[in-house]
Amino acid sequence: MAKLTEQEIINWNGSEDDYMNPDHLEFFRAKLLQMKAELLANANQTSQHLQEQEATPDPADRATLEEEYALELRTRDRERKLLMKIESTLRKLDEGNYGYCEDTGEPIGLPRLVARPTASMSLEAQERRERMKKQYAD
């Protein structure tokens, strides 16, 4: 199997039967595993950073530090949710369901998956869902 680049994936114009071939699956698995490794490394850095927290007697400095830590924790919480989505996506890859829309079953499209490897819906289905949410939220 040849290792594909992002540009080769985006420029792919094979048949629908060749969609999500072994080369594509290998590319996306590597991309997802890289994302997972980066998120775990960030989580370790945050953990170490928070353990090194210094006590400061100045209330203004303490407030600034606490705000920085709160922001960092919110960021890590978003990353934790992304990590769960990556795990779910890797399971889909193992099950052979990766790259197909959850709503319609149609191919999501390689350019969309390159931009957002955890996408679970085609662009059209996602836009439709967002319009429905907006319509019923108003």
Side-chain angles (χ1 to χ4, degrees), residues 81-97:
K81 291 174 184 171
L82 178 57
L83 189 58
M84 291 186 325
K85 185 141 183 158
I86 290 171
E87 289 291 338
S88 169
T89 304
L90 285 168
R91 279 193 300 278
K92 283 183 187 178
L93 223 152
D94 292 337
E95 295 165 358
N97 300 326

Side-chain angles (χ1 to χ4, degrees), residues 10-63:
I10 291 170
N11 293 338
W12 178 80
N13 58 359
S15 68
E16 196 168 312
D17 294 337
D18 199 28
Y19 180 72
M20 282 299 137
N21 63 42
D23 290 338
H24 294 159
L25 295 173
E26 177 188 339
F27 172 83
F28 287 111
R29 179 179 305 282
K31 188 167 182 81
L32 288 162
L33 290 173
Q34 178 187 4
M35 289 172 63
K36 180 179 176 181
E38 288 171 3
L39 290 173
L40 291 173
N42 286 345
N44 286 337
Q45 286 178 346
T46 298
S47 177
Q48 290 172 356
H49 182 80
L50 292 176
Q51 289 174 359
E52 296 168 358
Q53 182 176 1
E54 296 178 21
T56 179
D58 182 32
D61 289 343
R62 190 168 51 243

Side-chain angles (χ1 to χ4, degrees), residues 121-136:
M121 289 191 280
S122 65
L123 189 57
E124 295 80 18
Q126 184 68 37
E127 288 173 345
R128 192 169 42 250
R129 177 177 279 186
E130 289 173 5
R131 277 194 307 271
M132 292 296 283
K133 271 186 177 179
K134 185 177 180 184
Q135 184 177 19
Y136 289 110

